[in-house]
Amino acid sequence: MTAASPPEILRAPLVVEFPFTRSLGPVQSAFLTGLREGTVLGVKTSDGKVMVPPVEYDPVTAEEIRELVEVGATGTVTTWAWNDRPRSQQPLDTPFAWVLVRLDGADTDLLHALDAPGPDAVRTGMRVRVRWAAERTGAITDIACFEPYDGPAGGEAVPHDGDFADAVTGIVAEARLDYVYSPGRAQTAYIAALSERRTVGERCPSCHKVYVPPRGACPTCGVATTDRVEVGPAGTVTTYCIVNIKAKNLDIEVPYVYAHIALDGAGLALHGRIGGIPYDQVRMGLRVEPVWTEGGRHPDHYRPTGEPDADYDAYKELI
Amino acid sequence: MARYAREVAVVAFAQSDHLRRTDELSEVEMVMPVLHQVLAATGLKAGEIGFTCSGSSDYLAGRAFSFTMTLDGVGAWPPISESHVEMDGAWALYEAWVKIQTGEADTALVYSYGKSSPGSVRDVLTRQLDPYYVAPLWPDAVALAALQAQALIDAGEADEAALAAVGARSRDAAVANPHAQLRGPVPQGDYQVRPLRTGDCPPIGDGAAAVVLAAGDLARRLCERPAWITGIDHRIEAHSLGLRDLTDSPSTRLAAEHAGVFEAPVDTAELHAPFSSQEVVLRKALGLTDEVSVNPSGGALAANPMMAAGLIRIGEAAARIHRGASRRAVAHATSGPCLQQNLVAVLEGDAR
Ligand SMILES: [Zn+2]
């Protein structure tokens, strides 16, 4: 047993990407299809207010609203903020203003980007118009951005049936977030030891259970596990199952045995595959040892040591 | 009084130091010391707590179900009664308070934590926006707060100097707060998104906090001067920014009315205003006069651990009552862009 000394904390890039497929109701479908066709639609509430972008339910009365209207592609900035350093996924890659725009004929504001030469060229009350994207698919980004405009104002909102050929009924919301992941002190030590083909856990100072892999806390006692302990390399199969379904991208012939293995000295079992023995001869109590492959960062599988089986009483608490 | 079925008080509060990054600590290692501190302050053991509720967000660390890991720090065996909100811990406190009101628990442990350092919190927070019309544009939290600040300036309710003064006052107050991340003078700096400069924006950091709630006479036994929650309420506004008057916070005002804020003067206000402009909006919504001590802890402009900063406002207000520095305090927490949702609590000490 040694006091845990802080090795260099591991850090690695972690990319999380998720495409959410979302279906659109009748109102959002009409709005986004309209953008594809170069038409801006809103909805009219029961008290005659025109909402752009449109919502399906009145935010005040919660009434369903379906009365579509067409508004202008020109409007007025109601507030703005100058963005000197655009972030990678934002609408423009040159400095731009974030704006809330009240389109001509609308009573609410749309958030988007305004392409302008600098902050001195932007003010609340300035007139703007939509700059359409060259290729449009039925998404809010079909509006590439707004641009300054000094032509005539649009008129009132006019009724629109919302019918378009080949209506957009769903969007795929792609997102990518970049992280630098650090597993913290305890798991760094575990991973660092594996690179030397050793397995380390941490012992709870209160109940003395040894956790493998260690996460830094004893969930029973709710205290930090600070004493590092080397366990294994051999261990005992505490329970197992026979896998008959071949997993995608996994180069292992079925059937094979997947087992819980209590390494000697550990207070709970790890998972691992059992090899070097016919699948139907694996049993609870079988003594096994890890098999490492060249360059492997963890044991590839475990094989029988040839020792007599462990007594049930020796591992029954670890099942 | 007698607004609710049971008297419930904050009887203990603890928070970590809030730091720019904490690579050496897993989330459970960050949370555990504050859990030990609040339990030690009450003399309660984990197994004696009636209900445990936490607040956090998987998006900050980029890991699914990350909150299950921190349960290891609670001591969740033998089994405990537990819940989680994917929000600031102030809402976890609200859930725990409801649990005690129903009579199903007499004590509750509430904790929350956030590690913003693994990712880019400005990008991460865009994922809470309307996925159809707004999120595809990736407007970050600073950009949205800047729109709100410009709306205030246009309305004549603030100017850049007044906003800078809010940040400066917050970091001055934080000198007395050993946990704060930014203490003392901070350069007002360049525009981040105009009109907000560096000094108008919160620090990005990692941190955790915990609170113990208890009912009635048990609270009196656990704490010399309990901070009674005499009112608590939370309200939300339409998600579309274009539907809202960004210079006002009607949800804060409504929550405050229901919590009884306006029934008697308060001496302290702990406001969760990550941007200087948001303090201006909240002061107006809560009708705070210059006599009220606003954010004596330094507030979110001095330390803003995501998902914990709101719970910390309740904890800081309670701690002032515990030590006799406040008689009646209002605590506020916010979530979502431009103060979209707001929680308001009134905390009172026994008269003496
Ligand atoms: Zn233990």
Side-chain angles (χ1 to χ4, degrees):
Chain A
M1 180 166 48
T2 53
S5 62
E8 179 124 342
I9 299 298
L10 293 173
R11 309 175 83 212
L14 170 70
V15 178
V16 177
E17 286 182 288
F18 40 97
F20 277 114
T21 304
R22 297 180 173 277
S23 49
L24 305 170
V27 169
Q28 297 190 121
S29 171
F31 176 68
L32 293 179
T33 309
L35 294 185
R36 189 190 67 197
E37 304 304 321
T39 301
V40 186
L41 299 183
V43 284
K44 202 171 215 174
T45 64
S46 54
D47 62 357
K49 270 180 81 176
V50 173
M51 311 185 101
V52 182
V55 296
E56 295 163 304
Y57 296 90
D58 189 309
V60 177
T61 64
E63 261 178 52
E64 193 173 308
I65 37 180
R66 294 288 182 269
E67 193 185 337
L68 295 167
V69 292
E70 182 177 352
V71 299
T74 54
T76 304
V77 170
T78 60
T79 190
W80 62 285
W82 186 256
N83 187 22
D84 239 336
R85 279 156 290 173
R87 303 172 75 77
S88 62
Q89 304 182 84
Q90 293 177 344
L92 296 168
D93 56 13
T94 50
F96 68 90
W98 290 106
V99 282
L100 282 170
V101 174
R102 187 156 303 183
L103 290 172
D104 294 332
D107 297 299
T108 64
D109 303 333
L110 174 80
L111 177 76
H112 219 293
L114 168 68
D115 188 8
D120 294 339
V122 186
R123 59 182 173 77
T124 297
M126 77 181 283
R127 297 283 299 156
V128 295
R129 74 173 162 200
V130 169
R131 179 191 296 166
W132 296 104
E135 281 178 37
R136 302 200 295 273
T137 60
I140 191 66
T141 45
D142 288 352
I143 298 176
C145 62
F146 283 88
E147 60 191 19
Y149 168 72
D150 55 13
E156 294 287 294
V158 294
H160 193 288
D161 59 16
D163 287 340
F164 297 100
D166 190 19
V168 177
T169 57
I171 59 167
V172 179
E174 304 270 4
R176 172 189 168 126
L177 294 170
D178 284 88
Y179 298 90
V180 176
Y181 180 69
S182 169
R185 175 196 59 80
Q187 295 185 76
T188 288
Y190 175 76
I191 294 166
L194 280 181
S195 70
E196 299 166 5
R197 301 196 172 183
R198 296 183 301 117
T199 302
V200 299
E202 286 185 358
R203 189 193 309 276
C204 172
S206 174
C207 69
H208 307 298
K209 189 168 177 172
V210 173
Y211 289 92
V212 186
R215 294 215 299 255
C218 172
T220 306
C221 306
V223 298
T225 53
T226 47
D227 292 333
R228 189 168 304 149
V229 187
E230 185 160 343
V231 300
T236 302
V237 171
T238 62
T239 186
Y240 65 94
C241 63
I242 299 166
V243 179
N244 286 290
I245 298 170
K246 200 168 166 61
K248 205 170 150 186
N249 305 326
L250 194 62
D251 189 23
I252 299 171
E253 285 307 313
V254 292
Y256 66 88
V257 172
Y258 186 71
H260 278 188
I261 301 150
L263 296 180
D264 295 346
L268 71 168
L270 287 167
H271 323 219
R273 183 168 63 86
I274 306 297
I277 180 172
Y279 72 91
D280 57 358
Q281 289 177 31
V282 174
R283 55 202 180 265
M284 290 170 73
L286 182 70
R287 296 282 295 158
V288 293
E289 63 188 3
V291 177
W292 296 80
T293 51
E294 188 62 37
R297 303 206 292 194
H298 52 82
D300 178 70
H301 65 277
Y302 291 78
R303 70 178 169 214
T305 62
E307 297 166 83
D309 285 4
D311 250 9
Y312 179 65
D313 284 348
Y315 62 84
K316 68 179 182 188
E317 300 293 329
L318 304 177
I319 293 175
Chain B
M1 290 298 285
R3 189 184 296 274
Y4 307 117
R6 303 186 78 189
E7 295 179 303
V8 176
V10 176
V11 295
F13 166 59
Q15 62 184 312
S16 66
D17 291 345
H18 307 295
L19 303 167
R20 178 61 189 90
R21 52 185 333 118
T22 54
D23 288 354
E24 71 288 4
L25 298 178
S26 65
E27 284 161 325
V28 63
E29 290 172 310
M30 192 169 72
V31 167
M32 212 161 26
V34 300
L35 297 177
H36 293 169
Q37 277 180 50
V38 281
L39 292 173
T42 59
L44 291 170
K45 294 187 172 58
E48 297 168 336
I49 293 285
F51 181 59
T52 297
C53 198
S54 60
S56 67
S57 172
D58 284 353
Y59 277 72
L60 292 174
R63 296 172 61 191
F65 293 98
S66 64
F67 75 93
T68 60
M69 304 289 179
T70 58
L71 271 176
D72 286 357
V74 173
W77 181 267
I80 60 169
S81 170
E82 183 268 345
S83 184
H84 173 258
V85 298
E86 192 77 8
M87 284 194 82
D88 191 290
W91 277 265
L93 181 142
Y94 187 87
E95 182 178 335
W97 174 86
V98 169
K99 189 83 168 180
I100 295 176
Q101 287 298 332
T102 63
E104 288 188 33
D106 296 323
T107 52
L109 172 63
V110 180
Y111 67 93
S112 64
Y113 62 92
K115 279 187 84 159
S116 294
S117 59
S120 164
V121 73
R122 283 174 73 172
D123 294 332
V124 167
L125 289 181
T126 63
R127 300 302 93 193
Q128 70 180 341
L129 302 168
D130 168 5
Y132 302 98
Y133 301 158
V134 183
L137 306 174
W138 293 79
D140 56 281
V142 181
L144 297 175
L147 287 169
Q148 187 169 32
Q150 184 64 41
L152 280 173
I153 290 169
D154 286 339
E157 296 189 34
D159 54 28
E160 290 192 28
L163 297 182
V166 170
R169 202 208 65 248
S170 298
R171 277 103 187 203
D172 267 0
V175 168
N177 176 357
H179 303 289
Q181 187 177 339
L182 293 182
R183 294 196 289 265
V186 169
Q188 189 56 6
D190 295 333
Y191 287 118
Q192 294 303 301
V193 180
R194 182 174 171 153
L196 293 180
R197 294 176 182 269
T198 311
D200 295 304
C201 301
I204 293 168
D206 302 347
V211 156
V212 174
L213 300 181
D217 287 341
L218 182 57
R220 294 183 180 90
R221 281 207 298 283
L222 295 175
C223 179
E224 194 184 335
R225 188 173 153 81
W228 300 105
I229 301 172
T230 59
I232 187 166
D233 199 85
H234 62 104
R235 300 282 160 161
I236 186 168
E237 294 173 39
H239 66 194
S240 172
L241 289 173
L243 292 176
R244 292 163 50 190
D245 173 0
L246 295 179
T247 67
D248 200 6
S249 183
S251 54
T252 298
R253 187 177 296 110
L254 188 60
E257 273 170 26
H258 283 259
V261 172
F262 306 124
E263 291 168 14
V266 295
D267 51 49
T268 300
E270 279 286 342
L271 307 179
H272 186 193
F275 297 94
S276 58
S277 41
Q278 295 180 343
E279 185 180 306
V280 176
V281 176
L282 292 169
R283 277 175 178 268
K284 182 171 72 168
L286 292 167
L288 300 178
T289 63
D290 288 344
E291 279 85 77
V292 180
S293 173
V294 174
N295 286 344
S297 66
L301 285 162
N304 189 41
M306 296 301 303
M307 307 300 144
L311 180 64
I312 290 169
R313 305 281 73 75
I314 299 174
E316 289 280 7
R320 266 171 86 82
I321 288 171
H322 293 160
R323 59 180 186 261
S326 169
R327 158 81 189 95
R328 188 172 194 267
V330 60
H332 160 268
T334 195
S335 182
C338 297
L339 302 170
Q340 187 196 2
Q341 27 195 327
N342 296 284
L343 180 148
V344 176
V346 179
L347 299 160
E348 295 186 54
D350 287 320
R352 71 168 183 200

